[in-house]
Amino acid sequence: MENCVFCRIVRDEAPAYFVYRGHGVSVFLDIYPVETGHMLIVPDEHFESLHDTPPRVAAKLFAVAAALVRILRNELGAPGVNVITNSGRPAGQEVFHVHVHVIPRWKGGGWRRLVSRHRLTEVEALDFINRIKPYTGIIEEYLNNVFGEGT
Ligand code: 5GP
Ligand code: ZN
């Protein structure tokens, strides 16, 4: 998709802070995080939203989400995490390339308070990337476990 911002990020035509890339899936930081460490999981291939995403690709997105929740809770000490996908404009979808939000909740507020956003800063992004990078092997483990090596 020529003008899709997430396709452009995946093709390295637009910048992003990547947490993980592999198995046809990319994880990068949301540019307007609800809280520090707000990540987006996207398939490298373009699908509009969850209803037209093939089951295997959808399953990959949520396997990665589960791995990220484990990393955030067990390794980075996040006391809570939201996993969300917005499917369709009435649900709040703004970027029509399917994605799953993984949002560590350091402060709280629950799912009703997902709007207190700020512009991601470089210092915040690099600090979080440095903290999570040592654990991204867990994402690979999850994907290998469910889908097999290199799939
Ligand atoms: P949606 O409302 O579609 O579920 O969420 C889209 C998300 O993508 C929003 O949280 C928004 O901040 C994020 N976003 C939009 N454009 C960009 C971009 O160019 N780069 C990054 N990293 N995130 C973006
Ligand atoms: Zn796209």
Side-chain angles (χ1 to χ4, degrees), residues 9-26:
I9 286 173
V10 165
R11 290 197 302 254
D12 288 319
E13 292 168 11
Y17 294 100
F18 283 95
V19 169
Y20 175 82
R21 304 175 91 167
H23 292 257
V25 175
S26 296

Side-chain angles (χ1 to χ4, degrees), residues 6 16 19 25-26 35 48 56 58-59 64 73 82-83 86 88 106 119 121 123 125-126 133 140-141 150:
F6 289 174
V19 169
V25 175
S26 296
E35 291 196 39
E48 185 181 296
R56 187 179 172 80
V64 173
R73 297 292 314 270
N82 289 112
V83 176
N86 299 321
W106 312 102
R119 181 71 153 81
T121 68
V123 171
L126 295 179
K133 271 286 176 191
E140 198 68 30
E141 270 172 40

Side-chain angles (χ1 to χ4, degrees), residues 5-6 9 29-32 86 92-95 99 101 117:
V5 63
F6 289 174
I9 286 173
L29 298 184
D30 194 299
I31 202 75
Y32 284 105
N86 299 321
Q93 187 172 6
E94 289 178 353
V95 176
H99 54 278
H101 297 255
R117 299 188 157 198

Side-chain angles (χ1 to χ4, degrees), residues 1 4 6-7 46 97:
M1 287 285 280
C4 170
F6 289 174
C7 280
H46 182 94
H97 178 135

